[in-house]
Amino acid sequence: MSDYYWDNKIDYLRRTRPLHHNDDYFEFLVEKVWRITEPVRLVDFGCGYGYLGLKLLPLLPEGSTYTGIDEGMELLAHASSLFSELPYETNFIAGDVTHLVCEPQYDIAISHAFLMHMQDPQATLQIMIDSVIDGGKVICIESNWVACMAGYYVDGVDQSKIVDVGLLQKLFERDTKRVGKDGNIGSKLPVYMSKLGLTQIESRVSDKVLFLNPNGDADVHAEMLASMRTDGGFGASPGDTEPFIKGLMSRGCTIEEANRQYENELRLSQLIDSNSFVTHAPGMRFTFGTVQRSKI
């Protein structure tokens, strides 16, 4: 087993990525928003198993290339296997992106749910910018976790009984101050991009809305619920009380806050089953800007 955390989360990544986006929304962005009409050299920071490449390469003009960078050797091996039978020019680079020295050689640098895990996301964003040629784009797809959690509705349950938005907001703010990682970075990226010199900055929100419908296809319902619960996700059991409480207290929660969050998650795990109606709007944000080094 690899020592790298995400090497051991391939199943989690494969099951949860489709929860964030509709495929036709990628098509809309490529054709109507980014207006990519010529082949591009695409680099994916924190590429994982190559999810973005799998989604974007079929939509990009013929001749486009994809380079994935990740620290996970198992992830890259899995990505290489997935792309081996596909008709695209790809390259995978193993390494810690925070220590890369990049030359501007790509038309687009992109990342997905990556900067939120960085201790210094602005420094990593600068590395992405450095990899792009003048006039190229930097695209970051990130969440605002508090807004994401507020996007749930479980039929017959008061939202405040399962999602304490105020507590989650404080928790993520404390995390950012304590270790730099920012689960709410999605809402801040337009500001960061502007401060780092990008121009023509825009931000869009994914149109994906999940609907757990017990009156619909039973297999679809079961698969979606399992994906949402994957690896301690929404509706999963919080597990034993003591480690859960200690974990939240280590992140700055009081014992009262930690107990309240445990009760919320336990209640939710007991409420959701094959008969539950649930809607969720993840609200992933696509923020992008243009690299403009040329002096006017």
Side-chain angles (χ1 to χ4, degrees):
M1 181 176 290
S2 171
D3 292 333
Y4 182 60
Y5 177 83
W6 291 105
D7 267 342
N8 304 307
K9 300 294 182 181
I10 294 176
D11 182 61
Y12 163 79
L13 293 172
R14 294 197 69 177
R15 296 197 74 169
T16 57
R17 287 296 177 265
L19 300 177
H20 298 155
H21 315 289
N22 290 311
D23 288 350
D24 58 3
Y25 192 69
F26 281 112
E27 184 176 4
F28 164 72
L29 289 169
V30 169
E31 295 183 2
K32 303 297 184 181
V33 179
W34 300 329
R35 299 179 186 273
I36 302 173
T37 58
E38 300 292 334
V40 292
R41 296 160 295 177
L42 178 69
V43 59
D44 183 0
F45 284 77
C47 67
Y49 67 87
Y51 168 77
L52 287 178
L54 294 169
K55 293 299 180 184
L56 291 174
L57 281 173
L59 304 175
L60 294 172
E62 184 176 354
S64 295
T65 65
Y66 174 77
T67 297
I69 306 174
D70 203 286
E71 193 173 347
M73 298 300 295
E74 295 291 334
L75 284 165
L76 294 181
H78 191 62
S80 295
S81 176
L82 290 174
F83 282 92
S84 63
E85 301 298 323
L86 299 177
Y88 305 115
E89 182 180 338
T90 59
N91 180 41
F92 295 99
I93 300 171
D96 180 351
V97 299
T98 63
H99 293 99
L100 288 180
V101 177
C102 292
E103 297 294 329
Q105 58 182 304
Y106 300 102
D107 301 293
I108 298 174
I110 196 166
S111 65
H112 183 280
F114 171 64
L115 293 177
M116 65 185 293
H117 297 292
M118 297 293 101
Q119 292 184 346
D120 189 345
Q122 292 189 67
T124 304
L125 178 58
Q126 182 63 63
I127 294 171
M128 293 178 66
I129 293 170
D130 292 342
S131 73
V132 174
I133 64 171
D134 195 27
K137 289 188 181 298
V138 175
I139 303 169
C140 299
I141 308 167
E142 295 286 345
S143 178
N144 180 317
W145 269 110
V146 172
C148 176
M149 293 304 296
Y152 279 101
Y153 167 71
V154 180
D155 185 46
V157 183
D158 290 337
Q159 173 80 345
S160 60
K161 299 296 185 182
I162 55 173
V163 178
D164 186 339
V165 175
L167 174 58
L168 292 174
Q169 184 72 54
K170 289 192 290 183
L171 184 63
F172 282 111
E173 288 173 352
R174 291 167 186 159
D175 284 347
T176 302
K177 292 176 181 177
R178 183 171 55 90
V179 296
K181 298 180 181 180
D182 190 351
N184 291 325
I185 195 171
S187 60
K188 303 172 185 177
L189 275 169
V191 177
Y192 293 166
M193 287 185 174
S194 182
K195 288 183 176 180
L196 292 175
L198 294 181
T199 63
Q200 299 176 306
I201 298 163
E202 296 184 44
S203 194
R204 301 290 181 110
V205 178
S206 171
D207 64 356
K208 184 78 171 186
V209 178
L210 303 170
F211 178 33
L212 284 175
N213 181 15
N215 291 336
D217 187 294
D219 291 337
V220 171
H221 186 284
E223 175 59 26
M224 186 180 297
L225 179 56
S227 295
M228 292 169 68
R229 283 177 164 165
T230 297
D231 202 19
F234 187 81
S237 170
D240 293 336
T241 309
E242 185 175 351
F244 184 95
I245 299 299
K246 285 184 175 179
L248 284 185
M249 291 182 68
S250 71
R251 296 169 64 187
C253 284
T254 66
I255 189 167
E256 291 81 8
E257 291 173 331
N259 274 303
R260 186 164 68 251
Q261 184 63 20
Y262 181 85
E263 290 169 1
N264 287 347
E265 296 195 23
L266 180 63
R267 181 182 302 111
L268 181 61
S269 70
Q270 295 169 341
L271 287 169
I272 293 183
D273 56 27
S274 60
N275 297 311
S276 299
F277 287 96
V278 181
T279 64
H280 179 223
M284 291 291 284
R285 303 190 184 203
F286 292 73
T287 304
F288 47 95
T290 301
V291 175
Q292 190 68 58
R293 297 189 184 91
S294 302
K295 294 182 179 180
I296 298 176

